[in-house]
Amino acid sequence: MSTTDSSAPISSAPKKTFLERFLLVELLKGMWLTLKYTFRPKVTVQYPLERESVHPNYRGILRVDESTCIGCYLCEKICPDKCIHLEAERGYTKGKGGKYATYFYIDHARCLFCGLCEEVCPVDSIYHSNEYEAAVYNRADAVHDLRILDSGHDIIHYER
Amino acid sequence: MLETKEFELNMGPQHPSTHGVLRLVLHLDGETVLDVDTVMGYLHRGTEKLCETRNYYQNVPFTDRTDYLAAPYNNLGYVETVEKLGGYQVSERALYARMAIVELSRIASHLFWLATHALDIGAQTMLFWCTREREVILDFFEAALGDRLTTSAFKPGGLRRDLPEGWVEAVLEFCGTFPARVEEYETLLNANRIWMERTVGIGVISGEDAIALGLSGPMLRGSGVDHDLRKALPYGGYDTVDFDVPVYPDCDSYSRYLVRMEEMRQSTRIVQQALAKMPEGKITGKAPKMIKIAEGVEAYHVVESPRGELGYYMIGGGKDIPYKCKIRAPSFCNLQAVGPMSKGLLIADVVTVIGTIDIVLGDVDR
């Protein structure tokens, strides 16, 4: 670590001649640059009318595949803010034996979207979908039960 | 005789140029600032205490939420501290992938700093141009890490998953075009008369004062102190790449602006070198599924985040949760300078001073 002598005023700001000051050269240069951008194609997306697709790796709203879940509680255990709740029972359902989830709730209002549950799931039953429109009118709607988790919720699409 | 009295004015917590919920109590004489008191804690979420109740893997998402504009850097600081505690090895591929990702996050953070700082001072074009480039970087994060802002990118030992196909080529293409964009920003700002009026000679803090206050990052390098943790205490493979540390001696907002612009160029160079050096192989690492650190084992690790020295001090708790996790937040320490820097300035210049410190309130309050 070394300090330079701060008493000597060395300015890094560009020096301008009188003519440059008088003719506003730097202002005109900037104006010319922004003018050129006026004729280039737009990069913005008109969101509710047009949607950009997200990458498959994107961590969106959580979904659970009911038929593969083995009710091992690992996702409930790893969740940092305890937004996953499930109950499992031993029995025979949907053509397979062993444990299955009888109820499964995920509170998306608390979810961090960190992807830890997806990582620990031994049968890839719980996963982050690519849906990202999770806004709801009241808090109770943010809690998804097994039916919604399995088949997805209705997204109200904006129409003109 | 008319009497004059010191006038107190509250700035914030809902002021748009305080970049979050920061309250400043300005002591004024007319329009001249005599002193500034900072009132913090509006965004306190108790991250450090939360970390004492969750295990080492569960804590990674919490570190995102401290400095949310450069989330991968917070992940890196935390994850490297855990690796130091447990003595875990990082694979070569993960090392360079991490370096590329955190340097991209530095670019994204500086871009957003430039956008908001210029907007506060009155240059609106920068907001649109900088967010345009930042959007591209966030798309890279979305593809490689899974999320755009709160990435939860790393885990002890490596990365969560391998980089997607074509990612490296796309990043290298961006790095090829990005320096030309920085040139465009400089065309608009460097010699601009309004920009110079608002930044040259505003928010002066000398190198000695900067060290005494514990400032770090661009705040220190803009005051002529050549100190960068990537060079001083190399971590995460930074000693194998070639880059320059920009230092400007003017101690004002303008020189800090120049430091950050140059850092964006240097970060581009680091990304290119890191991706060229990245070998094939396993990226997920060798840390155990349940990390247990013995009681009393402690480690302090610092990284050079876009805002300065970001440190994590952790003590093992015997079980799978840490006994203590203290975060040394760069924004918190840098914010101390707001008083000394804005003494004698006008109210409008306090906005410049807050902007030039580059605070993130999530990082200040944690």
Side-chain angles (χ1 to χ4, degrees):
Chain A
M1 201 187 283
S2 67
T3 56
T4 50
D5 185 14
S6 54
S7 61
I10 326 152
S11 185
S12 322
K15 300 272 177 300
K16 289 188 230 166
T17 60
F18 174 73
L19 207 65
E20 278 175 334
R21 269 171 196 284
F22 187 72
L23 293 175
L24 300 169
V25 177
E26 85 287 337
L27 199 70
L28 291 174
K29 266 189 200 164
M31 291 283 207
W32 176 242
L33 189 63
T34 44
L35 185 73
K36 278 197 287 186
Y37 266 97
T38 319
F39 304 105
R40 289 188 196 170
K42 289 193 178 86
V43 292
T44 46
V45 176
Q46 300 298 321
Y47 164 61
L49 299 172
E50 36 184 313
R51 285 172 163 79
E52 283 217 326
S53 60
V54 291
H55 195 274
N57 281 357
Y58 180 71
R59 298 196 297 263
I61 299 168
L62 279 171
R63 292 272 167 268
V64 177
D65 189 354
E66 192 186 351
S67 59
T68 54
C69 180
I70 54 169
C72 63
Y73 295 97
L74 275 179
C75 49
E76 190 183 344
K77 228 174 177 177
I78 195 77
C79 183
D81 42 56
K82 314 282 178 242
C83 75
I84 302 173
H85 300 281
L86 72 138
E87 283 289 330
E89 240 171 49
R90 200 164 284 282
Y92 192 84
T93 177
K94 287 175 190 163
K96 67 184 175 78
K99 274 166 112 181
Y100 65 97
T102 47
Y103 88 60
F104 206 123
Y105 284 96
I106 296 179
D107 186 354
H108 276 102
R110 294 184 65 140
C111 181
L112 279 171
F113 297 93
C114 62
L116 283 171
C117 50
E118 189 185 41
E119 207 177 318
V120 296
C121 185
V123 288
D124 293 338
S125 174
I126 189 165
Y127 62 99
H128 281 281
S129 66
N130 269 359
E131 290 166 30
Y132 51 88
E133 286 156 328
V136 285
Y137 280 106
N138 54 53
R139 286 186 186 193
D141 289 348
V143 182
H144 290 183
D145 63 7
L146 196 49
R147 187 184 56 81
I148 304 173
L149 287 171
D150 193 56
S151 56
H153 71 307
D154 302 326
I155 300 169
I156 305 154
H157 282 282
Y158 173 84
E159 271 172 36
R160 195 164 236 182
Chain B
M1 270 302 271
L2 277 172
E3 238 179 78
T4 57
K5 214 165 81 176
E6 193 183 291
F7 183 66
E8 272 186 22
L9 184 72
N10 269 315
M11 185 174 169
Q14 308 295 342
H15 195 279
S17 71
T18 52
H19 298 207
V21 276
L22 170 70
R23 181 170 147 226
L24 296 175
V25 183
L26 307 176
H27 299 268
L28 302 170
D29 174 21
E31 214 191 330
T32 316
V33 179
L34 298 175
D35 200 8
V36 180
D37 294 335
T38 46
V39 184
M40 292 167 286
Y42 290 95
L43 207 58
H44 178 67
R45 292 149 298 175
T47 307
E48 290 174 4
K49 189 69 192 167
L50 261 179
C51 286
E52 292 167 21
T53 59
R54 306 285 192 271
N55 74 32
Y56 291 94
Y57 284 106
Q58 288 176 323
N59 285 341
V60 177
F62 293 139
T63 60
D64 289 333
R65 272 88 185 160
T66 56
D67 181 357
Y68 39 79
L69 287 182
Y73 236 107
N74 287 266
N75 298 153
L76 184 79
Y78 173 78
V79 161
E80 286 198 339
T81 313
V82 174
E83 281 160 8
K84 211 171 177 178
L85 275 174
Y88 306 125
Q89 283 295 316
V90 190
S91 71
E92 191 98 324
R93 183 175 171 81
L95 196 74
Y96 287 111
R98 276 181 185 181
M99 196 197 288
I101 287 163
V102 294
E103 286 304 323
L104 281 174
S105 85
R106 184 189 303 277
I107 295 173
S109 170
H110 280 354
L111 279 173
F112 205 65
W113 162 80
L114 182 63
T116 50
H117 186 39
L119 184 71
D120 287 345
I121 295 179
Q124 210 175 14
T125 316
M126 299 316 297
L127 178 73
F128 302 126
W129 286 10
C130 291
T131 40
R132 178 191 60 192
E133 264 74 69
R134 184 168 171 267
E135 182 73 18
V136 180
I137 297 177
L138 294 190
D139 281 341
F140 292 148
F141 287 170
E142 181 187 310
L145 311 172
D147 219 330
R148 298 168 70 82
L149 199 68
T150 52
T151 49
S152 308
F154 312 132
K155 69 174 186 180
L159 261 70
R160 284 262 190 91
R161 56 158 82 96
D162 210 340
L163 303 171
E165 224 165 277
W167 191 81
V168 174
E169 289 76 23
V171 174
L172 285 176
E173 197 192 327
F174 170 76
C175 289
T177 57
F178 183 65
R181 303 287 197 188
V182 180
E183 212 120 290
E184 282 184 353
Y185 309 150
E186 290 188 333
T187 313
L188 281 196
L189 292 180
N190 260 11
N192 187 296
R193 140 175 338 204
I194 305 167
W195 181 257
M196 284 171 72
E197 287 282 325
R198 293 299 304 269
T199 54
V200 174
I202 303 292
V204 177
I205 191 151
S206 69
E208 290 81 27
D209 287 351
I211 294 171
L213 281 170
L215 307 188
S216 50
M219 291 287 292
L220 204 55
R221 292 192 285 278
S223 293
V225 184
D226 186 4
H227 180 66
D228 191 317
L229 290 164
R230 290 174 292 175
K231 290 272 191 200
L233 290 167
Y235 56 89
Y238 272 107
D239 43 354
T240 59
V241 289
D242 175 39
F243 64 99
D244 301 325
V245 178
V247 180
Y248 286 88
D250 293 354
C251 314
D252 60 359
S253 300
Y254 191 82
S255 69
R256 286 187 279 273
Y257 153 74
L258 290 175
V259 166
R260 290 194 175 104
M261 293 306 263
E262 188 56 34
E263 272 189 14
M264 284 201 262
R265 289 209 186 86
Q266 297 300 331
S267 292
T268 318
R269 274 180 68 196
I270 298 174
V271 173
Q272 283 167 334
Q273 289 175 52
L275 290 180
K277 278 176 193 254
M278 190 170 70
E280 292 293 316
K282 210 172 170 224
I283 206 164
T284 43
K286 281 186 194 129
K289 280 185 179 166
M290 179 74 90
I291 295 178
K292 280 186 182 171
I293 309 289
E295 209 171 331
V297 178
E298 55 180 54
Y300 180 65
H301 186 70
V302 279
V303 291
E304 178 79 25
S305 95
R307 271 153 265 286
E309 180 183 332
L310 172 71
Y312 279 87
Y313 174 61
M314 291 177 75
I315 307 176
K319 289 182 196 147
D320 58 340
I321 57 174
Y323 173 73
K324 172 80 189 161
C325 176
K326 156 96 182 93
I327 306 169
R328 192 261 187 217
S331 301
F332 178 71
C333 298
N334 288 352
L335 189 60
Q336 294 177 91
V338 77
M341 275 162 77
S342 47
K343 243 169 228 167
L345 299 177
L346 303 178
I347 299 176
D349 292 329
V350 176
V351 172
T352 314
V353 169
I354 299 169
T356 191
I357 297 174
D358 188 18
I359 45 165
V360 167
L361 264 297
D363 202 22
V364 173
D365 295 335
R366 304 190 290 292

